[in-house]
Amino acid sequence: MASDEEKTYLGIDFSTQQLKGIIVDDNLNLLLEEVVTFDSSMPEFRTHKGVNQSRDGKTITSPTIMWVKGLDILLDKLQIAGADFGKLAAVSGTGQQHGTVYWQKGSNVGMKSLDQSCFLHTQLASCFTVPNSPIWMDSSTTQYCRKLEEAVGGAEELARITGSIAYERFSGSQIAKIADTKKIAYDNTERISLVSSFGCSLFLGDYAPIDLSDGSGMNLLDIRSKEWNNTCLEVIFTR
């Protein structure tokens, strides 16, 4: 256990083009900083600025396992640079709000028995039913946006409930599209994470809940009751 004088803190940012990690001390002095740029660090995923764009020009995704491998690389780089993870008192993180991750049935059990001597990306390689996560740049879900608005009585009513009219990049429409177009994958999914809760889950070895502030950008959360809106959820489940 590190003494109060030795405690350090790790911050991680899962952004679109890169993964960044910093370590600070109790006085917020920057001790270490490392970056993993997806395009150059992992060319095997063939991303451009961290994403893959389909021929329709609207479907834009990122390989989910690329984020996991990026975390492996980042932690290695920090350790090589001198980080002592035994002194970490806390870990915090951020992630692009509108990206969604789809966990295979049984993944939660697997996360509870990870081998610390092996890389995360090799152990979690088969854990995602949708290998390419829809992200905030995607604009392919217009029809699902209209269905969401119509289901609650219009765009203004959806904004009253969820805080926003329907946007293509928001997770509600993205999930509805996956449920409609990738039925087998969706039926084999036991949990859906946002990128932020996904990153937290990797450290917990368990599914992390979705933060309320991030949940408010999904077109699914009643921002007053702080509960999922049943009508919006029914649109996702209706095929």
Side-chain angles (χ1 to χ4, degrees):
M1 178 72 69
S3 67
D4 289 341
E5 293 76 18
E6 295 178 316
K7 287 180 180 177
T8 59
Y9 306 86
L10 170 64
I12 294 178
D13 176 38
F14 287 85
S15 67
T16 310
Q17 300 185 37
Q18 65 180 24
L19 187 58
K20 182 178 182 179
I22 64 170
I23 294 180
V24 299
D25 62 17
D26 262 328
N27 296 313
L28 300 184
N29 295 310
L30 180 63
L31 304 179
L32 290 171
E33 178 177 346
E34 294 292 342
V35 172
V36 176
T37 303
F38 297 135
D39 293 359
S40 58
S41 298
M42 292 171 284
E44 65 270 27
F45 294 106
R46 304 183 72 180
T47 55
H48 177 63
K49 295 184 178 179
V51 305
N52 297 126
Q53 182 169 320
S54 298
R55 292 180 180 179
D56 63 11
K58 296 181 178 181
T59 303
I60 300 178
T61 62
S62 292
T64 309
I65 201 66
M66 178 182 73
W67 295 331
V68 184
K69 186 173 183 179
L71 181 61
D72 281 329
I73 296 172
L74 178 68
L75 295 176
D76 258 5
K77 291 180 73 170
L78 285 168
Q79 192 166 36
I80 291 169
D84 183 350
F85 295 141
K87 294 181 179 180
L88 287 178
V91 179
S92 67
T94 60
Q96 47 178 301
Q97 184 179 8
H98 301 297
T100 45
V101 173
Y102 300 79
W103 294 92
Q104 174 79 253
K105 289 180 179 178
S107 296
N108 196 28
V109 175
M111 281 198 293
K112 295 180 185 300
S113 57
L114 293 172
D115 184 345
Q116 64 179 352
S117 67
C118 300
F119 286 121
L120 275 175
H121 72 274
T122 59
Q123 298 182 78
L124 300 180
S126 61
C127 284
F128 308 108
T129 55
V130 179
N132 298 304
S133 290
I135 65 164
W136 65 273
M137 296 169 68
D138 188 280
S139 60
S140 66
T141 62
T142 302
Q143 63 174 307
Y144 303 100
C145 290
R146 300 294 81 82
K147 284 183 66 177
L148 266 174
E149 291 176 342
E150 291 168 8
V152 298
E156 186 174 340
E157 180 63 11
L158 184 66
R160 187 194 68 79
I161 296 169
T162 71
S164 177
I165 64 172
Y167 283 106
E168 283 82 358
R169 68 181 181 272
F170 279 23
S171 305
S173 298
Q174 293 291 341
I175 296 168
K177 178 187 174 184
I178 294 295
D180 185 37
T181 63
K182 300 181 185 295
K183 295 179 175 62
I184 295 176
Y186 185 79
D187 287 342
N188 286 323
T189 298
E190 72 177 7
R191 182 75 171 228
I192 299 172
S193 296
L194 300 185
V195 177
S196 54
S197 60
F198 159 73
C200 186
S201 299
L202 295 178
F203 283 93
L204 285 178
D206 197 358
Y207 295 139
I210 292 174
D211 180 85
L212 284 173
S213 62
D214 285 348
S216 67
M218 297 177 71
N219 279 144
L220 296 177
L221 184 75
D222 186 317
I223 59 172
R224 291 169 177 80
S225 69
K226 299 180 177 62
E227 300 287 343
W228 301 117
N229 180 271
N230 287 331
T231 303
C232 294
L233 292 177
E234 286 171 6
V235 176
I236 292 176
F237 294 128
T238 301
R239 304 181 185 179

